[in-house]
Amino acid sequence: MIEHILIVFTVGLCFTFVRNDFSYYKTDYYSEKYGHFSEFERVEMLEAAKEMFYWGYDNYMQHAFPLDELDPIHCTGRGPDHDNPVLGGLLSAHLIITDPAQPFGNMTPPNYDDDLLHLAHDLGSRLLPAFENTATRLPHPRVNLLLGVPVDTHNSTCTAGAGSLLVEMGMLSHLLGDPVYEGAARRAIKALWSYRDASTGLLGNVIDITTGQWTNKLSGVGAGLDSFYEYLLKSYILFGDDGDLKMFNAAYRKIKRFMRKG
């Protein structure tokens, strides 16, 4: 439920932060048509986004849970769950259980002693080797939770994979009072940001973690990139770091400028 609220809140804030920042291309036809929202349009789009989210979520729960995603062709679940959703799930459940307000009723199990937080701590520590020993500060795309980074792992990772860890790792650091986890995730984001294109300011889709070279230069807001932008805004909402908001707004401006026409 917390994630649902955050997603809806994020959609609303997205329009609030950037809706008026189009002064340098206001005379463009596409800017006039798509560069701003009236208050009516903003509310209408917000409701449409909520409807789309619940349509997707409800169908996932009906046809795919607890697998990783819904196969839209066969209407079945596919793929195992991975460490990022697991870490977020452990932390979210812990926060719900320990919330003094208990907004969903009494959710605290008998004799609860931060058990889920301890599991999240253990998982987060097992993920840390992915961030070690890379010249670019970008994390390895694979890590064995028992053995560390596999010897034969490949060196390419997508932007979303490397840059969508700050919400979970940051929250773990805040709950533990240990900056290590948030620091690892922030270094990865800053590294990705440093490799954006010098002329357009856009990021590619897939990058080599050993060289910093883009192996897939196709930019966009779809698979491979989407959650990188999402996490910048969510992280600002959660932690209040102005740098996250500045990166989000800068990326948003570049996307609107260079990608909005097709």
Side-chain angles (χ1 to χ4, degrees):
M1 184 64 179
I2 288 177
E3 186 172 352
H4 300 180
I5 295 170
L6 182 56
I7 290 172
V8 174
F9 188 39
T10 299
V11 172
L13 283 176
C14 175
F15 293 124
T16 302
F17 289 139
V18 298
R19 58 184 297 191
N20 293 320
D21 196 11
F22 304 112
S23 57
Y24 60 93
Y25 50 77
K26 280 188 176 179
T27 58
D28 186 282
Y29 167 78
Y30 290 96
S31 297
E32 290 292 333
K33 186 173 178 61
Y34 301 113
H36 68 279
F37 289 94
S38 67
E39 181 61 16
F40 174 80
E41 289 171 321
R42 187 190 70 81
V43 173
E44 186 177 50
M45 294 295 289
L46 180 60
E47 290 302 313
K50 290 166 61 176
E51 289 178 10
M52 286 189 289
F53 170 79
Y54 281 110
W55 184 85
Y57 181 80
D58 291 342
N59 278 282
Y60 163 76
M61 292 299 296
Q62 180 178 350
H63 300 290
F65 180 83
L67 296 179
D68 194 39
E69 62 184 7
L70 175 64
D71 180 343
I73 304 299
H74 302 98
C75 204
T76 58
R78 65 184 180 191
D81 208 354
H82 297 295
D83 39 39
N84 205 26
V86 172
L87 182 59
L90 291 170
L91 294 171
S92 296
H94 171 74
L95 290 169
I96 291 172
I97 288 171
T98 57
D99 187 343
Q102 289 291 290
F104 310 112
N106 185 7
M107 303 289 286
T108 306
N111 304 314
Y112 182 72
D113 188 24
D114 293 343
D115 306 271
L116 297 180
L117 180 58
H118 295 318
L119 289 174
H121 188 188
D122 179 65
L123 177 57
S125 298
R126 293 171 187 265
L127 295 176
L128 285 179
F131 296 88
E132 299 171 356
N133 301 318
T134 64
T136 60
R137 297 176 297 163
L138 296 170
H140 291 278
R142 299 287 185 273
V143 60
N144 185 303
L145 296 181
L146 288 176
L147 304 175
V149 177
V151 175
D152 59 348
T153 187
H154 58 83
N155 293 321
S156 294
T157 185
C158 68
T159 300
S164 300
L165 299 163
L166 183 54
V167 168
E168 291 82 6
M169 298 291 267
M171 183 57 67
L172 181 61
S173 277
H174 282 251
L175 291 173
L176 296 175
D178 184 345
V180 168
Y181 306 94
E182 181 175 357
R186 284 199 178 278
R187 284 191 294 274
I189 287 177
K190 290 179 181 179
L192 276 172
W193 191 249
S194 72
Y195 289 117
R196 67 194 189 279
D197 185 80
S199 59
T200 66
L202 297 174
L203 292 90
N205 197 296
V206 180
I207 192 169
D208 188 313
I209 66 166
T210 62
T211 65
Q213 298 295 313
W214 294 104
T215 57
N216 183 341
K217 297 182 179 180
L218 183 66
S219 192
V221 293
L225 286 133
D226 50 356
S227 60
F228 173 77
Y229 307 120
E230 170 193 337
Y231 268 51
L232 289 176
L233 186 53
K234 284 184 175 180
S235 296
Y236 171 73
I237 295 169
L238 282 173
F239 310 125
D241 190 309
D242 289 338
D244 297 331
L245 180 60
K246 289 178 181 177
M247 283 189 284
F248 174 82
N249 278 333
Y252 190 90
R253 286 193 297 269
K254 297 299 185 181
I255 290 168
K256 292 292 289 183
R257 181 175 182 182
F258 291 108
M259 301 183 64
R260 59 197 168 85
K261 298 180 184 178

